[in-house]
Coordinates of all heavy atoms in Angstrom, one line a residue:
E96 N 53.8 -91.8 -89.2 CA 52.9 -90.7 -89.6 C 53.5 -89.8 -90.7 O 54.7 -89.5 -90.6 CB 52.6 -89.8 -88.3 CG 52.0 -90.6 -87.2 CD 52.0 -89.9 -85.9 OE1 52.8 -88.9 -85.7 OE2 51.2 -90.3 -85.0
V97 N 52.7 -89.5 -91.7 CA 53.2 -88.6 -92.8 C 52.5 -87.3 -92.6 O 51.3 -87.2 -92.5 CB 52.7 -89.2 -94.2 CG1 53.1 -88.3 -95.3 CG2 53.4 -90.6 -94.3
Y98 N 53.3 -86.2 -92.6 CA 52.9 -84.8 -92.3 C 52.8 -84.0 -93.6 O 53.6 -84.1 -94.5 CB 53.9 -84.2 -91.3 CG 53.7 -84.7 -89.9 CD1 54.1 -86.0 -89.6 CD2 53.1 -84.0 -89.0 CE1 54.0 -86.5 -88.3 CE2 52.9 -84.5 -87.7 CZ 53.4 -85.7 -87.4 OH 53.2 -86.2 -86.1
N99 N 51.7 -83.2 -93.6 CA 51.4 -82.3 -94.7 C 51.1 -80.9 -94.2 O 50.3 -80.8 -93.3 CB 50.2 -82.8 -95.5 CG 50.5 -84.2 -96.1 OD1 51.2 -84.3 -97.1 ND2 49.9 -85.2 -95.5
P100 N 51.7 -79.9 -94.7 CA 51.4 -78.5 -94.2 C 50.0 -78.1 -94.6 O 49.5 -78.5 -95.6 CB 52.5 -77.7 -94.9 CG 52.9 -78.4 -96.1 CD 52.7 -79.9 -95.8
I101 N 49.5 -77.1 -93.8 CA 48.2 -76.5 -94.2 C 48.6 -75.1 -94.6 O 49.1 -74.3 -93.8 CB 47.3 -76.5 -93.0 CG1 46.9 -78.0 -92.7 CG2 46.0 -75.7 -93.3 CD1 46.0 -78.1 -91.5
N102 N 48.4 -74.8 -95.9 CA 48.8 -73.5 -96.4 C 48.1 -72.3 -95.7 O 46.9 -72.4 -95.4 CB 48.4 -73.4 -97.9 CG 49.3 -74.3 -98.7 OD1 50.4 -74.7 -98.4 ND2 48.7 -74.8 -99.8
G103 N 48.8 -71.3 -95.4 CA 48.3 -70.1 -94.7 C 48.2 -70.3 -93.2 O 47.7 -69.4 -92.5
A104 N 48.6 -71.4 -92.6 CA 48.6 -71.6 -91.2 C 49.9 -72.1 -90.7 O 50.2 -73.3 -90.6 CB 47.5 -72.7 -90.8
D105 N 50.8 -71.1 -90.4 CA 52.2 -71.5 -90.0 C 52.1 -72.3 -88.7 O 51.4 -72.0 -87.8 CB 53.0 -70.2 -89.7 CG 53.4 -69.4 -90.9 OD1 53.3 -70.1 -92.0 OD2 53.7 -68.3 -90.8
G106 N 52.9 -73.4 -88.7 CA 53.0 -74.3 -87.6 C 52.0 -75.4 -87.5 O 52.0 -76.3 -86.7
L107 N 50.9 -75.3 -88.4 CA 49.9 -76.3 -88.4 C 50.0 -77.3 -89.6 O 50.2 -76.9 -90.7 CB 48.5 -75.6 -88.5 CG 47.3 -76.5 -88.4 CD1 47.2 -77.2 -87.0 CD2 46.0 -75.6 -88.6
T108 N 50.0 -78.5 -89.2 CA 50.0 -79.6 -90.3 C 48.9 -80.6 -90.0 O 48.4 -80.7 -88.9 CB 51.4 -80.3 -90.2 OG1 51.6 -80.9 -88.9 CG2 52.5 -79.4 -90.6
W109 N 48.6 -81.4 -91.0 CA 47.7 -82.5 -90.8 C 48.5 -83.8 -91.1 O 49.5 -83.7 -91.9 CB 46.4 -82.4 -91.6 CG 46.6 -82.6 -93.1 CD1 47.0 -81.6 -94.0 CD2 46.5 -83.8 -93.9 NE1 47.1 -82.2 -95.3 CE2 46.7 -83.5 -95.2 CE3 46.1 -85.1 -93.5 CZ2 46.7 -84.4 -96.2 CZ3 46.0 -86.0 -94.6 CH2 46.3 -85.7 -95.9
Y110 N 48.2 -84.9 -90.5 CA 48.9 -86.1 -90.8 C 48.0 -87.3 -90.8 O 46.9 -87.3 -90.3 CB 50.0 -86.3 -89.7 CG 49.6 -86.4 -88.3 CD1 49.3 -87.6 -87.7 CD2 49.4 -85.2 -87.5 CE1 49.0 -87.7 -86.3 CE2 49.0 -85.3 -86.2 CZ 48.8 -86.5 -85.6 OH 48.4 -86.6 -84.3
Y111 N 48.6 -88.4 -91.4 CA 47.9 -89.7 -91.5 C 49.0 -90.7 -91.4 O 50.2 -90.5 -91.6 CB 47.1 -89.8 -92.8 CG 48.0 -89.8 -94.0 CD1 48.5 -91.0 -94.6 CD2 48.4 -88.6 -94.6 CE1 49.3 -90.9 -95.7 CE2 49.2 -88.6 -95.8 CZ 49.7 -89.7 -96.3 OH 50.5 -89.7 -97.4
G112 N 48.5 -91.9 -91.2 CA 49.5 -93.0 -91.1 C 48.9 -94.3 -90.6 O 47.7 -94.4 -90.5
G113 N 49.8 -95.2 -90.1 CA 49.3 -96.5 -89.6 C 50.4 -97.1 -88.8 O 51.5 -96.6 -88.7
G114 N 50.0 -98.2 -88.1 CA 51.0 -98.9 -87.3 C 50.3 -100.1 -86.6 O 49.3 -100.6 -87.1
G115 N 50.8 -100.4 -85.4 CA 50.4 -101.5 -84.7 C 50.4 -101.3 -83.2 O 51.0 -100.4 -82.7
T116 N 49.6 -102.2 -82.5 CA 49.5 -102.2 -81.1 C 49.8 -103.6 -80.5 O 49.3 -104.5 -81.1 CB 48.1 -101.7 -80.6 OG1 48.0 -100.3 -81.1 CG2 48.0 -101.7 -79.1
I117 N 50.5 -103.6 -79.4 CA 50.6 -104.8 -78.6 C 50.2 -104.4 -77.2 O 50.6 -103.4 -76.7 CB 52.0 -105.5 -78.7 CG1 52.0 -106.8 -77.9 CG2 53.1 -104.5 -78.2 CD1 53.2 -107.7 -78.2
G118 N 49.5 -105.3 -76.5 CA 49.1 -104.9 -75.2 C 48.6 -106.1 -74.4 O 48.5 -107.3 -74.9
S119 N 48.3 -105.9 -73.1 CA 47.8 -106.9 -72.3 C 46.6 -106.3 -71.4 O 46.6 -105.1 -71.1 CB 48.8 -107.5 -71.3 OG 49.3 -106.5 -70.4

Side-chain angles (χ1 to χ4, degrees):
E96 301 168 343
V97 178
Y98 286 72
N99 298 284
I101 296 177
N102 294 332
D105 288 343
L107 184 63
T108 58
W109 70 276
Y110 60 94
Y111 65 92
T116 296
I117 185 168
S119 67

